[in-house]
Amino acid sequence: MRPFIVAVAASLLVAACDLTPPAQPKAGPAAEATSNTARAGAFAHSQTGDLSGYYLPGAQVGPDDFQLTTVFVGQEPEFRDWEDGKRSATFAPVMLEFLVPGEQTERVLPESYSVSDGRVRMTGTSPEHGRVTFDARLDQGALSTARRNLGEGEASAMTAVVVIGNRTWSGVKLNWQGGD
């Protein structure tokens, strides 16, 4: 009788400790988004339309020795590459360009960004001027008009707050231009 009790106890113990791994959820849009977010870290984009182009400020933004000249927003493949870790030391899907003394430009690449149909946010660092943040609202109507008119839109496509170091420029208007 004793071997029978040991066999029954062992069977119950094995049944209680199901060694089958738990079922994994099927990969779908939600699972892929979670995976992309984990890979991307501080980089995310969710725009459904094409926001690509150059956005130019209508007035001086920044101190005399570090003036914002261009905000660049890239296309979908550039965002995917960046978020997949394929990064350049000189180019990013969202970046800011500044005019520095000597008619030179300095690019500030993102340490983080978030881009959607209605907003573009980015943070980066300039070696000389420290932390740079850009937070803009997009006006889709003005962007559409500018695209139709090849950059000759009447209204600003973006309105932003730009912070360079400890100084803030609010209400910065930027017009869209397609580029070269």
Side-chain angles (χ1 to χ4, degrees):
M1 182 72 132
R2 182 178 253 188
F4 175 75
I5 294 173
V6 171
V8 170
S11 295
L12 289 173
L13 182 60
V14 169
C17 298
D18 182 10
L19 300 176
T20 307
Q24 298 295 317
K26 294 191 186 256
E32 289 173 12
T34 301
S35 174
N36 286 342
T37 301
R39 272 197 321 257
F43 304 105
H45 77 287
S46 62
Q47 70 272 27
T48 58
D50 183 10
L51 307 178
S52 66
Y54 298 89
Y55 295 82
L56 312 175
Q60 181 175 329
V61 178
D64 289 339
D65 64 339
F66 194 68
Q67 294 178 31
L68 179 65
T69 59
T70 309
V71 176
F72 172 79
V73 177
Q75 295 182 325
E76 177 66 23
E78 294 158 336
F79 282 99
R80 272 195 319 259
D81 284 350
W82 189 270
E83 291 165 19
D84 285 343
K86 300 173 196 164
R87 298 186 182 145
S88 165
T90 59
F91 180 82
V94 178
M95 61 186 175
L96 309 177
E97 285 192 346
F98 292 86
L99 183 63
V100 295
E103 298 297 314
Q104 300 294 317
T105 59
E106 177 185 324
R107 285 186 178 167
V108 175
L109 301 182
E111 294 167 356
S112 69
Y113 65 69
S114 174
V115 179
S116 67
D117 289 332
R119 195 156 210 160
V120 174
R121 294 178 178 161
M122 187 200 115
T123 61
T125 302
S126 160
E128 294 291 321
H129 295 277
R131 187 76 157 169
V132 177
T133 62
F134 179 82
D135 187 356
R137 287 185 334 271
L138 280 157
D139 180 332
Q140 289 291 337
L143 178 57
S144 293
T145 300
R147 283 182 176 282
R148 269 193 314 276
N149 296 332
L150 301 176
E152 298 299 321
E154 296 179 19
S156 300
M158 279 188 191
T159 303
V161 174
V162 180
V163 180
I164 301 169
N166 60 1
R167 293 186 58 196
T168 302
W169 286 263
S170 298
V172 175
K173 305 286 187 190
L174 298 113
N175 296 322
W176 179 87
Q177 182 179 7
D180 299 332

